[in-house]
Amino acid sequence: MSDHARLLVDRQLGGAEAGALAEQRLLNARGAEPSATAASDAVRFLGLFTRLIAVIALVSLAVGLTGSTHGQDGDDRPERSHGERADEGTRDMPFGADRFFVPRWRLTNGPQVRAAFREVVEGAVPSTVKVKVDQHDEALGAVVGVEGWILTKASVLRGEIACRFADGRELPATIAGVDKEFDLALLKVDANDLVPLNFSPELPEVGAWVATVGLWRDPLAVGVVSVPPRALPHQSGVLGVQLDESDKPLVTRVFPDTGAADAGVLVNDMIVKVNGQATPSRLALIRRVRTFSPGDQIELEILRDGETITVTATLMSESTALPLGNRSAMQNMMGGALSERRFGFPRALQHDTVLRPSECGGPLVNLDGEAVGLNIARSGRTESYAIDGATVADVAARLMAAAGAAPTAPPVRPMTTAAPIVD
Amino acid sequence: MVHLPPRYSRAFIWSAGLTACVLWLIVPTVATAQRADLPEDAAAALAQRSPESIEDLRLIQDQLGRVVKRAVPATVGLRVGNGMGSGVVVNPEGLILTAGHVVGRAGRRVTVIFSDGRRLMGRSLGADHDADAGMVQLDDPPADLAYSPIAEDETLPPGTWVVTTGQPGGIVADRAPPVRLGRVLFTGHDVVCTDCEIVGGDSGGPLLNMRGEVVGIHSSIGPMINQNFHVAISAYRREWDRLAASEVWGGDEDRDEARGRPLLGVAGRTEGGCLITQVFADMPAERAGLKAGDVITAVDDNEIATFEDLITAVNAKSPGRRLRLEIRRGEEILEFRVRLAGIDRPLPGSPDERRERPARPESELAPAPNPEDGNE
């Protein structure tokens, strides 16, 4: 960029950002690296500079008095926030110290509240798996068939897949089917003694508790239903290149840390095909890429120095690729990572559970312990999405039939009332 | 009952009391149905340090259901100029509480969008930019107006269960205001901090107690998920008369200037650090005393090593905010204080300006705005 282009005047606003313009007061940080400004923002906001030193002293005193109580409940989750360090039990914080270290019992998602859900999730834990991709935890999954059938989030599956069960087993898995629309994949592991989950056709009401089941006795996280199921429009995937202004699909710039850069796309490459379909012009290429979603892998055929090569690139979402360009996106990323594919589901319910992207793909249960949904995405600071139970059961049945699974165990619980299945 | 700020005169109390009686007579069901019943067993479950059984959870859930039924219809989206915020109707006369930064100043036209899609017009009243409190009045409040009364009891001990609604990301077609449940983490002067997650567009929306009464208004967030700040209802109650009389005060600058995007007014590049190559006339950097050739080494104690660092640091601030710049000028280390200006339109030659030209070069990085990302 030229000096002039760097004139410090602009966030690169898209039209989409207008919604956040009224939000000047919202303290901004640095997108994905929020911790640097955490303390200073809180302090500045509250006008507590003068008390800072005293409070830090008090906090160390409190920690000294109560000791460290991390992980006593066997929960191996790392810290979620600045606020969970100090007091677990009966002792409260000295005056003012709670601004920096909130006692965990106060948190909606703290260990004490989650412990109250122990019986709620106990039925679903044996049917929940951790999905590992190249040994990294990338998602959770839900067992939908005795003979090794597991449903999970499709777009995170790029590599060697294994499923880890609550009983400690870890089995390699293959992809037996994918529903692109809902971003669901059917996995197959070599087992014949799994405990399938019965997805409930009941739609939880707005305000109903929902618990995200993990492999441990307490839920990973809890929240409430925020919005009934609705269609979430497609969000275009971003490749991360700038194209020549002529009509050719010629790359003039590759943005760092994007799918294009990771795939090794270079300046002066001519991208002539995407997934086998010709992209003869700049516009054709742009249109073609926009039909894909963030998280999709696309195969690019490239003309480079007279040779044709093929690379595979993973599309990102606009805000991941350019988080500073969009204040709304930046605020949504304050507070934790988001799923790459997080929009474009034909039907999903919204809840307020704070999830990590790797905690999506597994069962969501109501207070009766019924699986009312499958978490599909962490989509913003205030929102997680789950595919509702009836839809999950439907997709699972379809994928299993296509994969040749024995149709003996329908993964949907038989209706006990005369109410129609809502779809 | 009406909720009276302490400064109300006796005469006003009388007239307000009469009005309330009259309204109570005319629309008894509406006027009495706004506050959610709180059965004793639910109150007991909510008062616990943490729920201890599924039964406790169920009582909380049922209570939340009662609150939601009343709070969602009273929650509104507010369009003020180009901005979108939220608000909550707090009385049958159509008074809406919102955040000061949503309205900015008095007398602005406000489009009020209800959860059922209905749109009504209103006008901004006063704003306290110190506390970030604001008010809007509906022009013609309908007879069946839903509202959430403000809380009589302002105390919010840590751990109090609270409910959030609002319009995060602006109005989204076919989406009612999302409901979020959380707890009070701590309170400060005019501020409540909760773990009810809020985000841009929620500003001005209500924080409610488990009786469905307004105890706070969404104002700002910090980088952590548990840093959600709300203006305490006490800030409104204390200054009710001034706000209702369209008085605007506080803040450290003219709010109009603070609209738009942050502007420092320099150009530069990364060369031996963050080198400033140009300081534009009559812009904040020049007014503060920066000169071409200066190297910016820190912004508010955060180290700046490259020009990109500076862009990041400035973009993270709002217009009107003061920054402390540490500058290396030759052998000297200098400190400048600068207040960022705001601009609504890109300057000529900037990347934005080029993007907005009619024949703008499309790139993969600038796909069409997604309705899900922003507002309508």
Side-chain angles (χ1 to χ4, degrees):
Chain A
M1 274 195 285
S2 68
D3 284 358
H4 211 61
R6 283 173 164 171
L7 184 66
L8 250 193
V9 291
D10 30 49
R11 303 158 178 286
Q12 301 186 356
L13 282 184
E17 204 207 22
L21 277 181
E23 281 293 351
Q24 317 241 344
R25 266 301 268 263
L26 283 175
L27 303 174
N28 263 329
R30 301 180 168 199
E33 304 174 317
S35 55
T37 54
S40 71
D41 271 345
V43 169
R44 183 184 52 214
F45 183 84
L46 295 164
L48 290 175
F49 271 119
T50 49
R51 287 198 221 154
L52 181 59
I53 301 300
V55 165
I56 286 175
L58 285 170
V59 166
S60 31
L61 182 66
V63 172
L65 286 172
T66 58
S68 170
T69 47
H70 290 178
Q72 282 190 355
D73 58 358
D75 186 344
D76 62 356
R77 289 160 67 77
E79 292 298 311
R80 260 178 192 278
S81 80
H82 73 303
E84 302 183 353
R85 301 243 176 95
D87 186 343
E88 281 248 26
T90 54
R91 207 184 303 265
D92 241 328
M93 301 299 286
F95 176 75
D98 55 0
R99 281 155 176 74
F100 302 94
F101 301 100
V102 176
R104 298 175 84 182
W105 69 264
R106 292 182 192 169
L107 298 169
T108 309
N109 236 325
Q112 289 84 352
V113 175
R114 282 187 282 124
F117 285 79
R118 196 164 291 173
E119 288 169 49
V120 169
V121 298
E122 76 182 349
V125 169
S127 306
T128 304
V129 301
K130 226 176 223 181
V131 178
K132 296 188 161 196
V133 178
D134 292 337
Q135 293 305 308
H136 293 284
D137 292 346
E138 291 290 347
L140 297 172
V143 174
V144 291
V146 181
E147 315 252 294
W149 303 101
I150 290 159
L151 209 58
T152 187
K153 181 170 171 70
S155 55
V156 299
L157 305 173
R158 302 170 209 133
E160 294 268 307
I161 306 166
C163 292
R164 177 153 184 210
F165 294 78
D167 62 14
R169 269 189 293 179
E170 187 165 323
L171 301 172
T174 53
I175 299 176
V178 169
D179 182 308
K180 297 270 302 178
E181 274 197 314
F182 284 100
D183 198 21
L184 290 172
L186 182 68
L187 298 181
K188 178 77 174 78
V189 298
D190 188 13
N192 53 20
D193 58 347
L194 301 189
V195 189
L197 206 60
N198 293 313
F199 278 92
S200 166
E202 303 261 336
L203 270 184
E205 284 185 22
V206 170
W209 282 111
V210 281
T212 294
V213 186
L215 301 194
W216 178 240
R217 63 183 182 185
D218 293 343
L220 285 173
V222 296
V224 299
V225 175
S226 300
V227 186
R230 68 185 199 273
L232 295 156
H234 167 76
Q235 185 195 45
S236 301
V238 169
L239 179 56
V241 298
Q242 194 162 0
L243 299 176
D244 192 57
E245 289 189 38
S246 71
D247 196 40
K248 293 180 195 142
L250 178 67
V251 176
T252 57
R253 188 173 171 200
V254 180
F255 292 88
D257 302 322
T258 61
D262 291 347
V265 176
L266 299 176
V267 170
N268 288 331
D269 280 357
M270 191 92 81
I271 302 175
V272 293
K273 275 186 188 173
V274 173
N275 280 7
Q277 188 178 317
T279 52
S281 69
R282 179 176 164 277
L283 204 59
L285 175 59
I286 290 171
R287 287 193 178 139
R288 177 80 173 133
V289 170
R290 280 188 188 166
T291 62
F292 295 93
S293 301
D296 282 355
Q297 284 188 306
I298 58 174
E299 200 170 81
L300 306 174
E301 195 174 303
I302 290 173
L303 270 180
R304 183 184 294 169
D305 302 329
E307 282 179 53
T308 302
I309 59 165
T310 303
V311 300
T312 303
T314 305
L315 298 181
M316 306 177 104
S317 59
E318 182 189 7
S319 49
T320 319
L322 257 188
L324 292 176
N326 180 318
R327 178 180 268 193
S328 171
M330 184 151 69
Q331 289 182 353
N332 267 309
M333 293 175 77
M334 288 165 68
L338 306 179
S339 300
E340 201 60 72
R341 163 89 190 264
R342 55 183 185 267
F343 293 107
F345 309 112
R347 177 182 157 87
L349 65 86
Q350 180 175 331
H351 58 104
D352 72 348
T353 313
V354 180
L355 296 174
R356 294 193 182 87
S358 63
E359 291 166 352
C360 295
L364 188 70
V365 300
N366 65 11
L367 273 192
D368 294 324
E370 298 173 318
V372 292
L374 189 115
N375 285 317
I376 199 64
R378 177 71 181 153
S379 298
R381 182 180 167 103
T382 65
E383 55 201 316
S384 295
Y385 293 131
I387 312 290
D388 63 276
T391 307
V392 173
D394 185 49
V395 172
R398 194 152 30 82
L399 290 176
M400 285 172 71
T408 46
V412 68
R413 164 183 303 220
M415 288 297 296
T416 50
T417 65
I421 296 178
V422 185
D423 195 0
Chain B
M1 274 301 294
V2 278
H3 314 284
L4 297 170
R7 288 185 191 174
Y8 273 76
S9 68
R10 266 196 121 84
F12 193 90
I13 291 175
W14 269 108
S15 63
L18 277 173
T19 313
C21 288
V22 169
L23 280 163
W24 187 81
L25 289 172
I26 297 171
V27 280
T29 48
V30 173
T32 53
Q34 304 303 325
R35 191 174 278 114
D37 293 333
L38 180 59
E40 266 178 38
D41 50 357
L46 289 161
Q48 284 176 300
R49 209 172 156 92
S50 303
E52 283 175 359
S53 63
I54 298 179
E55 190 46 37
D56 288 346
L57 293 170
R58 208 175 295 282
L59 287 166
I60 293 172
Q61 173 173 291
D62 293 347
Q63 189 60 27
L64 176 57
R66 285 188 279 271
V67 171
V68 165
K69 276 196 187 66
R70 291 160 178 81
V72 167
T75 302
V76 292
L78 300 179
R79 179 184 294 284
V80 190
N82 287 327
M84 277 295 313
S86 300
V88 58
V89 183
V90 294
N91 68 21
E93 293 83 29
L95 186 73
I96 293 166
L97 299 190
T98 184
H101 73 270
V102 170
V103 291
R105 57 188 160 81
R108 300 179 81 186
R109 296 303 292 158
V110 178
T111 309
V112 181
I113 303 140
F114 288 79
S115 59
D116 60 4
R118 192 159 47 147
R119 282 161 192 253
L120 298 173
M121 291 311 292
R123 198 169 279 280
S124 60
L125 302 177
D128 170 358
H129 290 304
D130 291 330
D132 197 23
M135 277 186 184
V136 170
Q137 174 64 48
L138 278 177
D139 294 344
D140 298 302
D144 62 344
L145 187 64
Y147 67 95
S148 294
I150 65 171
E152 282 171 52
D153 181 3
E154 295 175 351
T155 57
L156 290 170
T160 303
W161 291 90
V162 280
V163 183
T164 285
T165 62
Q167 291 285 11
I171 300 280
V172 175
D174 300 327
R175 186 197 70 180
V179 171
R180 289 144 273 172
L181 177 67
R183 303 183 80 179
V184 173
L185 305 183
F186 59 85
T187 53
H189 180 66
D190 286 349
V191 169
V192 184
C193 177
T194 72
D195 62 3
C196 281
E197 311 106 47
I198 51 175
V199 77
D202 271 321
S203 272
L207 181 75
L208 304 126
N209 63 19
M210 296 303 282
R211 286 181 183 274
E213 301 168 320
V214 179
V215 294
I217 294 293
H218 311 325
S219 173
S220 65
I221 58 175
M224 310 303 286
I225 197 82
N226 288 339
Q227 294 171 329
N228 304 284
F229 299 107
H230 318 263
V231 186
I233 200 67
S234 55
Y236 292 81
R237 200 191 290 272
R238 194 178 60 237
E239 305 289 3
W240 195 275
D241 289 349
R242 294 174 77 189
L243 290 168
S246 294
E247 215 178 303
V248 177
W249 70 96
D252 54 359
E253 81 301 310
D254 171 25
R255 300 302 295 188
D256 278 346
E257 200 192 323
R259 299 253 152 218
R261 294 166 256 168
L263 170 69
L264 181 58
V266 298
R269 60 172 177 267
T270 304
E271 187 185 310
C274 172
L275 176 69
I276 302 305
T277 56
Q278 207 176 347
V279 179
F280 294 89
D282 204 30
M283 286 190 186
E286 195 214 28
R287 278 178 284 193
L290 267 73
K291 291 181 176 165
D294 287 350
V295 174
I296 299 185
T297 53
V299 172
D300 288 347
D301 294 331
N302 294 318
E303 192 192 341
I304 300 293
T306 65
F307 197 81
E308 285 70 26
D309 287 351
L310 181 64
I311 294 176
T312 308
V314 170
N315 275 346
K317 307 290 179 187
S318 296
R321 289 291 297 274
R322 289 177 198 281
L323 305 183
R324 202 172 65 253
L325 303 179
E326 196 182 282
I327 304 284
R328 195 173 69 232
R329 181 179 291 168
E331 300 293 301
E332 282 181 294
I333 300 294
L334 304 170
E335 194 177 293
F336 292 94
R337 281 171 194 276
V338 53
R339 189 165 66 76
L340 294 175
I343 53 156
D344 290 327
R345 262 175 303 173
L347 293 195
S350 71
D352 269 9
E353 193 271 342
R354 279 185 269 156
R355 280 164 56 134
E356 288 180 11
R357 272 187 295 175
R360 64 174 197 171
E362 274 183 283
S363 81
E364 302 293 335
L365 280 162
N370 184 303
E372 202 55 42
D373 272 347
N375 59 342
E376 45 172 17

